[in-house]
Amino acid sequence: MRAAPRRPALPWAAPLYTAAVQLGAYATGRLPAQRRTQLLRRHSTNVANLHAGRWWTLATSAAFVEEPLPVAYGAALVATLGTAEARWGTARAAGVFAAGHVGASLLVHAGLRHRVRVDPPDATARAVDVGASYGFQATLGALATAVPHRGARAAATAGLLALGALPVLRRGRTFTDAGHLTALALGLAMGTALRGRGPRPTPGRPSAIPKPT
């Protein structure tokens, strides 16, 4: 007898994370401007912090944003992270997000550390660099590789790469533009690795694998 297909688990971590980030943005927005800037810089994955060994910022920087998320961006973040969570399970989705965030931050740091002054630090070395965008881009890239039809998958991948490359090619580009493209590339690589594995089984749910009768 063939068991009923497993229903995707209802995402919970994606809306919880987005809500926490949004509430934190409103809370930090009530601080005096100088104190708020100091707080954000302390949790930034900038060259000065990483050069000084403050590696914990690789985690805490994803918990802060400079301004409250616009409604459209917040909805896109929940939809993207939630889709990944429903498809791969909470642990794998969080792993893709974290790997994209940390990986892109480290690669940007590697590219900047020999180009900016850290003693005393210049503006770029002390820049505010917080937010969910690196993890968001990585998750988006990973999901693009999960599009079922080969042609649609190729179009989605090419479209995302083009959109990610445009800011890097413009005259007024910043290091975060390069970080977004890097995170997207990392996501594409991780999505390719995850392709074919399917969603993780949920404890207590019947397996979709037919059992012998």
Side-chain angles (χ1 to χ4, degrees):
M1 182 177 179
R2 185 180 295 273
R6 186 185 70 84
R7 294 180 181 178
L10 184 67
W12 60 269
L16 184 63
Y17 167 72
T18 306
V21 169
Q22 190 75 311
L23 289 174
Y26 284 118
T28 56
R30 299 177 66 88
L31 297 173
Q34 184 176 4
R35 185 179 174 188
R36 175 179 168 276
T37 300
Q38 289 174 346
L39 175 67
L40 294 178
R41 277 187 177 150
R42 178 170 176 77
H43 292 280
S44 293
T45 51
N46 55 35
V47 175
N49 279 337
L50 296 181
H51 182 78
R54 302 185 187 101
W55 299 104
W56 44 265
T57 60
L58 291 169
T60 59
S61 58
F64 292 88
V65 289
E66 294 187 59
E67 301 289 345
L69 302 176
V71 174
Y73 185 86
L77 184 63
V78 171
T80 300
L81 301 187
T83 300
E85 188 178 0
R87 180 174 182 83
W88 299 316
T90 302
R92 281 184 184 170
V96 170
F97 180 94
H101 176 79
V102 173
S105 297
L106 289 175
L107 289 171
V108 168
H109 168 69
L112 288 176
R113 63 180 179 175
H114 298 302
R115 301 180 185 180
V116 301
R117 190 175 66 250
V118 295
D119 188 21
D122 61 19
T124 300
R126 298 178 63 248
V128 173
D129 188 14
V130 295
S133 59
Y134 287 175
F136 171 67
Q137 291 289 333
T139 305
L140 195 61
L143 285 175
T145 67
V147 175
H149 191 273
R150 180 180 299 179
R153 184 166 62 245
T157 301
L160 286 175
L161 285 173
L163 289 174
L166 281 176
V168 177
L169 298 175
R170 68 185 180 184
R171 185 182 297 273
R173 62 183 176 271
T174 66
F175 68 86
T176 56
D177 294 327
H180 292 151
L181 181 59
T182 301
L184 179 62
L186 290 173
L188 291 171
M190 288 185 285
T192 301
L194 286 171
R195 189 192 308 158
R197 294 187 183 184
R200 298 185 69 179
T202 301
R205 295 284 183 88
S207 173
I209 301 175
K211 298 180 179 179
T213 56

